[in-house]
């Protein structure tokens, strides 16, 4: 599952940023069709502790191709799951109103789980769902270091510091309700991108039975900077724009590790 220090070393933010020049030189970044997105809205949902800026490369890539990216309003994604979901649903509704149609939700790690819950709750607002390294099969299955941070935040919340997840989010009724929502069938096309090199989230937990599961060779923190991720996203987003892929007609990718199980 995890290999201790080597897993942590792979997930250095500095190492992830080291990939930026490689991304900027890659054809998947340089060759942009500005009409591809046709104004389709995309709400970007960052991972635990990452902040909205962590998905800036994705926003720039999308914008150059005619999509309309927007922030999710969940900040550093360290708050109560129910509160974050409420904020995300609000942002999703506003962006759908702004663009005049349902939007794509693109979330990384915990942000992908939030995006999946939003898609399950309000499929009328969602055109498609992208999850990057998201442990949707077990939201508490991340690296022990991440869970230690989560428990520390819960202790701070118990001490009266607002805006943080609490014990209820980790093992109480809030947790149970959100796990139930996380397992609901999807009625929108979805893709879950995972990596066996992920040092934060075990790749097995990203195998959403309602999504096309596609493997890349990236670290967890580096997914937003990895050219292969954009090579995967490009044709799929384009197909969603034209309506050639729908929730009821998904087909497995040649890169996929498991077959698609019909949902919804």
């Amino acid at each position: 599952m995890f290999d201790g220090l080597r897993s942590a070393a792979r997930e250095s933010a500095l190492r992830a940023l080291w990939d930026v020049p490689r991304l900027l030189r890659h054809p998947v970044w340089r060759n942009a069709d500005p009409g591809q997105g046709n104004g389709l809205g995309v709400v970007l949902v960052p991972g635990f502790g990452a902040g909205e800026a962590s998905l800036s490369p994705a926003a720039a890539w999308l914008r150059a191709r005619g999509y309309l990216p927007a922030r999710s309003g969940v900040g550093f994604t360290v708050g109560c799951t129910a509160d974050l979901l409420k904020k995300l649903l609000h942002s999703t509704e506003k962006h759908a109103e702004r663009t005049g149609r349902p939007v794509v939700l693109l979330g990384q790690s915990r942000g992908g789980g939030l995006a999946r819950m939003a898609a399950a709750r309000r499929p009328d607002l969602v055109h498609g769902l992208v999850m990057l390294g998201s442990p949707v099969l077990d939201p508490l299955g991340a690296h022990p270091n991440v869970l230690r941070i989560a428990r520390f935040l819960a202790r701070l919340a118990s001490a009266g510091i607002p805006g943080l997840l609490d014990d209820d989010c980790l093992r109480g009724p809030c947790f149970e309700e959100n796990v139930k929502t996380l397992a609901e069938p999807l009625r929108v096309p979805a893709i879950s991108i995972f990596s066996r090199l992920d040092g934060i989230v075990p790749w097995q937990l990203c195998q959403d039975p309602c999504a096309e599961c596609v493997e890349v060779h990236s670290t967890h923190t580096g997914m937003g900077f990895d050219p292969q991720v954009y090579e995967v996203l490009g044709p799929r987003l384009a197909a969603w724009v034209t309506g050639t892929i729908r929730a009821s007609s998904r087909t497995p990718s040649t890169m996929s590790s498991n077959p698609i199980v019909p949902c919804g």
Side-chain angles (χ1 to χ4, degrees):
M1 181 106 29
F2 295 113
D3 53 0
L5 291 175
R6 282 181 294 176
S7 288
R10 282 201 303 267
E11 296 303 339
S12 161
L14 223 72
R15 178 170 176 173
L17 291 173
W18 192 260
D19 280 338
V20 171
R22 184 168 67 97
L23 174 61
L24 298 182
R25 290 193 303 266
H26 198 281
V28 78
W29 183 274
R30 297 170 65 87
N31 300 336
D33 174 6
Q36 177 185 310
N38 194 29
L40 179 64
V42 183
V43 176
L44 302 171
V45 197
F48 182 74
E52 306 276 5
S54 66
L55 291 174
S56 293
W61 184 84
L62 289 162
R63 199 174 292 112
R65 286 151 185 78
Y67 298 92
L68 297 178
R71 295 189 170 201
S72 59
V74 299
F76 284 90
T77 329
V78 294
C80 168
T81 305
D83 291 344
L84 294 177
L85 179 57
K86 184 177 179 180
K87 291 178 181 178
L88 176 56
L89 286 170
H90 177 75
S91 298
T92 301
E93 185 173 13
K94 290 299 179 185
H95 202 39
E97 290 175 358
R98 193 178 303 121
T99 58
R101 53 178 164 165
V103 301
V104 170
L105 296 180
L106 188 158
Q108 184 168 7
S109 196
R110 190 186 188 199
L114 289 169
R116 194 198 191 286
M117 286 190 280
R121 286 268 182 94
R122 293 293 308 273
D124 56 308
L125 298 176
V126 180
H127 190 80
L129 169 65
V130 176
M131 297 169 283
L132 306 179
S134 299
V136 293
L137 299 187
D138 180 4
L140 294 183
H143 192 283
N145 288 345
V146 176
L147 296 182
R148 278 193 283 270
I149 294 171
R151 293 188 183 102
F152 175 69
L153 293 176
R155 288 197 296 272
L156 292 179
S158 298
I161 297 178
L164 302 176
L165 55 79
D166 56 27
D167 283 332
D168 192 28
C169 296
L170 298 176
R171 55 192 173 193
C174 175
F175 173 77
E176 292 171 3
E177 177 63 27
N178 288 315
V179 165
K180 189 183 303 182
T181 303
L182 200 57
E184 287 182 8
L186 292 172
R187 286 176 279 168
V188 300
I191 179 170
S192 176
I193 297 178
F194 68 94
S195 172
R196 294 171 199 257
L197 298 178
D198 194 320
I200 299 295
V201 170
W203 66 270
Q204 298 93 331
L205 301 184
C206 303
Q207 306 301 297
D208 192 320
C210 295
E212 180 187 9
C213 298
V214 181
E215 182 175 6
V216 297
H217 305 289
S218 167
T219 62
H220 185 82
T221 52
M223 279 193 181
F225 308 101
D226 193 298
Q228 191 180 13
V229 170
Y230 295 97
E231 287 180 315
V232 169
L233 288 181
R236 286 160 178 82
L237 290 175
W240 291 355
V241 171
T242 59
T244 54
I245 293 182
R246 301 181 184 277
S248 59
S249 63
R250 289 175 301 217
T251 56
S253 162
T254 55
M255 299 174 67
S256 179
S257 68
N258 65 305
I260 303 303
V261 179
C263 284

